[in-house]
Amino acid sequence: MLEFKIVNTEEELKSALKIRRDVFINEMSVPESIEIDDYDKLNSQCKHILVLLENKPVGTARCNLISETELKIQRFCFLPEYRKSGFGKLLIEFIEREFSDKGFNYFFLEAKFSVHEFYEKCGYKKVSDVFIEANVPHIKMEKSL
């Protein structure tokens, strides 16, 4: 069974950060000093989402609550063997449903350009030129609900 959890415990946060270390730091060579920051703790302005498959952590995302209506999706990733499984679209839908119920109606992200088509399929529109972040081409995308 696939489950989406808003992180509430240190153990859940450690699981989310382990996935991000595996994906961003180890696989994609993003420096740890860029990947892990002050928002990576409980009770920050960010909410972390943990994706579990049969109780095994397989994906994560961080939702930065910019204002009462604006949310920035960050650090969205899955372990390699769970990509292209449809889980990413389900995670986006969970985030939008969970936070639109709390009054958020503007969602945006800075997608790696190589995966921007995934976000387009989820209804996000490109709103910037390509820019470089952590030595990787990115593009800003947004969606209003």
Side-chain angles (χ1 to χ4, degrees):
M1 182 177 90
L2 192 66
E3 181 183 3
F4 302 94
K5 290 187 73 167
I6 295 181
V7 168
N8 288 311
T9 68
E10 288 293 337
E11 183 178 327
E12 291 169 346
L13 182 60
K14 284 180 186 174
S15 294
L17 293 176
K18 182 182 183 323
I19 293 169
R20 286 178 35 198
R21 280 183 196 286
D22 290 347
V23 172
F24 294 121
I25 297 170
N26 298 334
E27 180 185 339
M28 298 180 183
S29 301
V30 174
E32 184 171 344
S33 60
I34 294 172
E35 175 53 30
I36 307 297
D37 60 27
D38 289 340
Y39 295 123
D40 292 321
K41 53 187 150 196
L42 297 177
N43 304 315
S44 74
Q45 80 179 42
C46 292
K47 298 293 181 191
H48 299 265
I49 312 297
L50 187 59
V51 182
L52 302 162
L53 179 63
E54 306 300 331
N55 292 317
K56 177 187 177 192
V58 300
T60 190
R62 185 171 84 178
C63 299
N64 192 335
L65 311 179
I66 302 295
S67 73
E68 291 183 6
T69 59
E70 297 177 295
L71 182 147
K72 182 177 184 181
I73 299 172
Q74 302 173 306
R75 310 310 203 262
F76 189 99
C77 64
F78 282 84
L79 296 173
E81 60 270 31
Y82 301 99
R83 296 175 194 157
K84 300 189 185 222
S85 61
F87 296 166
K89 186 173 191 309
L90 294 173
L91 176 54
I92 289 286
E93 290 170 354
F94 172 82
I95 291 168
E96 291 172 351
R97 186 173 55 253
E98 183 72 22
F99 290 95
S100 66
D101 287 350
K102 292 175 174 57
F104 292 88
N105 58 23
Y106 176 74
F107 296 77
F108 70 102
L109 51 94
E110 294 171 349
K112 288 186 306 242
F113 188 76
S114 62
V115 296
H116 79 278
E117 290 175 352
F118 161 76
Y119 294 103
E120 285 180 323
K121 289 177 185 174
C122 294
Y124 286 75
K125 306 285 183 223
K126 295 181 279 191
V127 294
S128 77
D129 292 328
V130 175
F131 60 93
I132 303 298
E133 184 172 308
N135 296 319
V136 177
H138 283 73
I139 191 160
K140 182 177 179 182
M141 304 181 79
E142 67 180 15
K143 181 178 183 179
S144 294
L145 296 179

